[in-house]
Amino acid sequence: MRKQPELSFWQIWNMSFGFFGIQFGWGLQMANMSAIYQYLGADADKIPLLWLAAPVTGLIVQPIVGYYSDRTWNRFGRRRPYFLVGAIFASLALIAMPNSSTLWMAAGLLWILDASVNISMEPFRAFVGDMLPPRQRKFGFAMQSLLIGAGAVLSSALPWILSNWFGITGESTAESRIPLTVHIAFYAGAALFMGAVLYTILTTREYPPEDMAALRAAQAKRGPLDAFREIFAGIFQMPRVMAQLAVSQFFAWFGLFCMWINFAPAVAGTFFSANVESDLYRQGVEWAGVCFSAYNFMAFLFSFVLLALVRVLTARTIHTVALLLGAAGLVAVGFWPEPRLLLISMIGIGIAWASILAMPYAMLSNAIPAEKMGFYMGVFNFFIVLPQILASLGLGPLLKHVLWNDPMNAILLGGGAFLLSAVTLQLVDKAAADGA
């Protein structure tokens, strides 16, 4: 088995930089899609179902991409071809998204965008395990978290910045119900997504397979039926630490999805105006975008702290504390008397988000075989998308019939899910997760 050499700070920066662009596209989607659906006429209780494309796409795409990228080697490398293909299609979807004229057009483009983002994102997770020795992997995932935070900060606040700093109209027009600020933000996201991924491709070379004959033999057996059998078997044969982590991961991402799809309607309706057609409601949506930017900025700042913490604390300890702070932040959203105080909640949520992006993968990478790094990273994604599917299918009826059709109550539910994630994380074998 190859012993990877330690890389310098800037080598790790270069190999991670593509995540800045990926998160820019992802952040635009998270902060704006619920509002886009409402601009196109969706009712609040229908929005979770319209988000269903995102998790279903990840459930299908990531294990397949992981399986095939483990078995790929050509003159472009192992993971880099997938980075590039995903970036091309994601950039095209970002350009098309603000030009949606109907709800189903927007939902279809979200499906394409999410598939493309997943094609790029999953190999980036495996890339860290490929390129770094075990002792540097926590640092590598923390670096990804830092760049994700930077991309998300800029993308979440961009419509607000365009409206308030540059005077570009944030109102719907006769030509488009989706504001011009959103159009420009998505076009910028397309360019940055493509540029950042190309930077990583051009500055980082991958290690060739140690056993080329074994790789060629695996390539010869990688038909669709072989892939399906191995993926299906892998779900039931995952390493023990991965199964333990999956429970905590499930609750963390359920909490995130409760927040992502309900935060803009909750903030706009609670603190500004319940009338979707009003200018006050639009201001509320923009302020929700600023809050998203704030928690992502906090995640960005905390990522610098993570780079230091991973040298002295275990990933499990860091992640437990971060999840508890995130739970407190989400619950507090429902109790602030005015919208500016929401920025205090964003501190705890941002810390949790930075950790969610890094620490589970650091623990996982030490517990799975190197030759199946991409595959198991893809299978682990099940426990990100399954709670999102549950939220997409169940939150709408729950919101309508149990939570008094108030999106703010879904935010409080997300805080409870974060708390459960922190509690179930204690099931994870500490020594195995830290590669001891």
Side-chain angles (χ1 to χ4, degrees):
M1 178 178 170
R2 175 188 290 109
K3 188 178 186 307
Q4 300 100 321
E6 292 198 359
L7 302 185
S8 69
F9 176 93
W10 290 111
Q11 286 174 311
I12 297 174
W13 170 276
N14 290 343
M15 63 177 277
S16 304
F17 190 75
F19 243 119
F20 173 80
I22 291 173
Q23 189 58 36
F24 204 98
W26 191 266
L28 285 170
Q29 172 184 317
M30 291 297 104
N32 293 282
M33 280 310 301
S34 289
I36 287 173
Y37 285 147
Q38 288 191 309
Y39 290 135
L40 295 173
D43 296 327
D45 63 301
K46 299 297 190 299
I47 290 175
L49 188 60
L50 290 166
W51 273 91
L52 187 60
V56 169
T57 302
L59 185 70
I60 296 168
V61 170
Q62 287 218 15
I64 294 172
V65 169
Y67 175 87
Y68 281 103
S69 68
D70 283 340
R71 289 157 175 76
T72 295
W73 184 259
N74 55 43
R75 62 195 181 96
F76 299 108
R78 167 173 285 164
R79 315 292 180 189
R80 289 184 301 171
Y82 297 89
F83 301 166
L84 181 59
V85 170
I88 290 170
F89 284 100
S91 297
L92 293 173
L94 284 167
I95 291 169
M97 182 66 76
N99 295 293
S100 298
S101 56
T102 66
L103 273 175
W104 293 110
M105 181 178 176
L109 283 169
L110 178 62
W111 200 297
I112 295 169
L113 176 59
D114 238 77
S116 305
V117 169
N118 277 293
I119 289 169
S120 286
M121 183 184 291
E122 193 285 329
F124 260 102
R125 300 290 191 199
F127 205 35
V128 173
D130 291 344
M131 302 293 292
L132 295 176
R135 68 180 301 272
Q136 278 197 308
R137 287 175 186 166
K138 284 189 293 184
F139 188 90
F141 285 113
M143 179 69 79
Q144 282 191 357
S145 181
L146 186 154
L147 290 164
I148 288 169
V153 167
L154 293 173
S155 62
S156 298
L158 190 54
W160 183 89
I161 291 170
L162 291 169
S163 177
N164 290 273
W165 293 4
F166 296 96
I168 298 171
T169 180
E171 298 180 2
S172 299
T173 65
E175 291 76 23
S176 175
R177 283 173 284 180
I178 299 171
L180 181 60
T181 50
V182 176
H183 280 256
I184 295 173
F186 272 70
Y187 299 155
L192 284 167
F193 195 126
M194 193 72 220
V197 169
L198 280 174
Y199 179 85
T200 287
I201 289 172
L202 295 173
T203 59
T204 305
R205 297 191 66 83
E206 296 185 75
Y207 300 129
E210 194 170 12
D211 188 341
M212 190 63 74
L215 177 72
R216 297 304 181 206
Q219 287 177 330
K221 295 166 48 179
R222 66 175 190 178
L225 288 178
D226 296 294
F228 177 79
R229 280 194 295 266
E230 288 197 41
I231 291 169
F232 188 77
I235 297 170
F236 297 99
Q237 297 172 4
M238 67 179 73
R240 183 170 57 92
V241 170
M242 181 175 168
Q244 293 167 343
L245 271 170
V247 180
S248 175
Q249 191 79 334
F250 180 95
F251 286 118
W253 282 87
F254 183 82
L256 285 169
F257 215 58
C258 285
M259 179 185 70
W260 284 338
I261 64 179
N262 289 286
F263 193 78
V267 171
T270 300
F271 296 102
F272 290 83
S273 169
N275 181 6
V276 176
E277 303 296 328
S278 73
D279 187 58
L280 275 176
Y281 191 90
R282 177 187 62 79
Q283 291 176 34
V285 169
E286 288 186 351
W287 183 250
V290 172
C291 290
F292 270 43
S293 181
Y295 91 72
N296 282 301
F297 183 65
M298 188 63 217
F300 172 69
L301 292 180
F302 187 69
S303 295
F304 288 100
V305 179
L306 269 182
L307 294 176
L309 288 179
V310 294
R311 301 181 188 276
V312 295
L313 295 174
T314 66
R316 194 180 74 156
T317 298
I318 294 168
H319 198 41
T320 298
V321 174
L323 286 167
L324 291 173
L325 290 172
L330 275 177
V331 170
V333 168
F335 296 93
W336 295 121
E338 59 105 356
R340 287 180 297 178
L341 295 176
L342 291 170
L343 296 176
I344 298 174
S345 280
M346 298 304 109
I347 296 171
I349 294 168
I351 290 171
W353 178 229
S355 184
I356 288 167
L357 292 171
M359 294 302 99
Y361 300 99
M363 289 183 273
L364 179 65
S365 65
N366 290 326
I368 55 180
E371 68 275 10
K372 292 187 175 181
M373 188 71 68
F375 169 66
Y376 275 124
M377 286 286 181
V379 171
F380 192 58
N381 190 60
F382 284 5
F383 306 100
I384 295 174
V385 300
L386 286 174
Q388 293 181 35
I389 291 172
L390 176 64
S392 294
L393 294 175
L395 272 181
L398 192 67
L399 195 65
K400 187 173 183 178
H401 300 294
V402 179
L403 301 178
W404 299 282
N405 215 26
D406 185 351
M408 186 60 76
N409 290 327
I411 304 296
L412 299 178
L413 180 64
F418 266 38
L419 179 61
L420 283 172
S421 179
V423 171
T424 55
L425 184 62
Q426 308 318 302
L427 300 172
V428 176
D429 186 296
K430 181 174 177 291
D434 289 325

